Amino acid sequence: MIMNIVDLSGDGYKLTPSYLLIMCIEHSARYHMELQTRQLLIKMSNAIQSVASEKTAEMSKTIERTTIPEKALEELLPQLRPVVFWMANCLEMLPYLQGNMSQYIKDPSQIAEYGDETLLNADEELLMFLEEVIIYTFQQTVYHLTKVLYIALPAILDTNPFQDTDEDSDKRPQEVETVISIFQTTYDVVKAYSVHEDILRQLFAYLFFFTNASLFNTLMERGAGASSTAGLKERRFGQSGCVGELGCRGATSGRG
């Protein structure tokens, strides 16, 4: 079946399953009775829901709080990719079927005699399952990426943001580089699987919001005397001392 022939490691078109599934629906609608088409829709609904549940369950087994951020991301990626893959394919199928389902399912009266409500609502169920899978896979993607960020972010507060660096250099503290790497890797994966741009922007809106909120909450929990503000305090002290010293020199020279 289409759900089992997917090769995530290859360079093939990542939205192939969505196109193949839609072609199956179109073929059934053209060459078979509506009963068979509705039965096909039910099978697709169950298969899509099953694969999404399976892949997200595998992802939930990763990431321990004691794991270093780089290792946590490395362990998450093999489970994250298939989740993003199926989210992208469901995103491709949903709007197309919403606009074209009436071409494939036309006369529910032919099915009424079977007295099977599932068959009668097969088209609506498929659309509903696609939407649910999109929402669920998106939520799980955000959740597990924030778990990685949760491990990486506190270290940023332990670095000195005013440390001496070459102004012409792009070099940043390793803790900052780690967080940037998480964002970049996430972007690369989502783009590789052709996730819609609107969903990509929404994903990063959630990740950036979590980053800001997490850093702020951690800073408040540590308190004003925590080491996280040491760099800022040193900078302020150095500036005030320098200004005071210059002021004294000016006053002394003025008196002289």
Side-chain angles (χ1 to χ4, degrees):
M1 191 176 177
I2 295 171
M3 319 299 285
N4 300 322
I5 63 174
V6 177
D7 181 14
L8 296 177
S9 61
D11 296 328
Y13 186 51
K14 303 306 182 185
L15 298 177
T16 297
S18 63
Y19 285 85
L20 290 177
L21 290 171
I22 290 173
M23 288 172 65
C24 288
I25 296 173
E26 291 180 343
H27 179 85
S28 178
R30 178 173 295 185
Y31 296 106
H32 298 282
M33 296 176 59
E34 184 158 326
L35 173 63
Q36 282 75 34
T37 302
R38 288 177 179 270
Q39 290 173 336
L40 176 63
L41 296 181
I42 293 173
K43 288 182 179 180
M44 284 187 181
S45 299
N46 294 333
I48 291 171
Q49 187 182 39
S50 177
V51 72
S53 177
E54 175 188 340
K55 299 306 179 183
T56 51
E58 291 174 0
M59 190 165 58
S60 65
K61 299 175 183 177
T62 61
I63 307 177
E64 299 290 339
R65 288 192 176 186
T66 55
T67 308
I68 61 174
E70 294 86 351
K71 185 178 179 182
L73 183 62
E74 182 182 349
E75 292 176 349
L76 176 64
L77 285 177
Q79 283 74 39
L80 177 66
R81 288 191 176 97
V83 173
V84 174
F85 175 86
W86 283 110
M87 176 173 65
N89 277 275
C90 290
L91 279 164
E92 192 73 10
M93 291 179 66
L94 180 60
Y96 181 85
L97 290 177
Q98 285 174 330
N100 295 277
M101 186 66 82
S102 59
Q103 299 179 26
Y104 313 133
I105 301 296
K106 299 178 180 179
D107 190 6
S109 62
Q110 298 179 14
I111 310 301
E113 60 185 86
Y114 293 95
D116 190 335
E117 190 173 341
T118 303
L119 285 173
L120 282 171
N121 300 321
D123 52 335
E124 295 178 4
E125 283 203 11
L126 177 57
L127 297 178
M128 180 186 70
F129 279 132
L130 286 172
E131 188 171 355
E132 287 181 354
V133 166
I134 291 168
I135 294 172
Y136 184 64
T137 51
F138 179 84
Q139 289 174 339
Q140 290 299 305
T141 298
V142 172
Y143 173 66
H144 286 86
L145 286 171
T146 55
K147 286 176 70 175
V148 177
L149 286 169
Y150 184 81
I151 300 172
L153 288 172
I156 291 181
L157 298 178
D158 296 324
T159 63
N160 180 3
F162 303 106
Q163 57 187 321
D164 294 332
T165 56
D166 186 354
E167 293 182 358
D168 297 328
S169 174
D170 293 332
K171 186 177 180 180
R172 291 176 287 262
Q174 180 58 43
E175 294 81 0
V176 176
E177 288 287 356
T178 298
V179 174
I180 293 175
S181 175
I182 294 171
F183 288 137
Q184 184 63 55
T185 302
T186 300
Y187 178 83
D188 292 342
V189 169
V190 173
K191 288 292 288 184
Y193 291 106
S194 302
V195 173
H196 195 280
E197 290 291 332
D198 289 344
I199 301 300
L200 174 62
R201 285 191 287 268
Q202 190 172 358
L203 172 63
F204 274 89
Y206 275 97
L207 295 181
F208 290 149
F209 175 82
F210 174 83
T211 299
N212 292 334
S214 180
L215 286 172
F216 180 79
N217 290 339
T218 303
L219 187 61
M220 292 299 99
E221 289 173 1
R222 291 184 177 186
S227 61
S228 59
T229 56
L232 184 59
K233 287 182 176 180
E234 290 172 5
R235 180 69 170 180
R236 286 175 177 170
F237 180 80
Q239 286 178 335
S240 61
C242 180
V243 171
E245 186 179 352
L246 288 174
C248 290
R249 285 178 181 174
T252 304
S253 60
R255 288 194 188 102

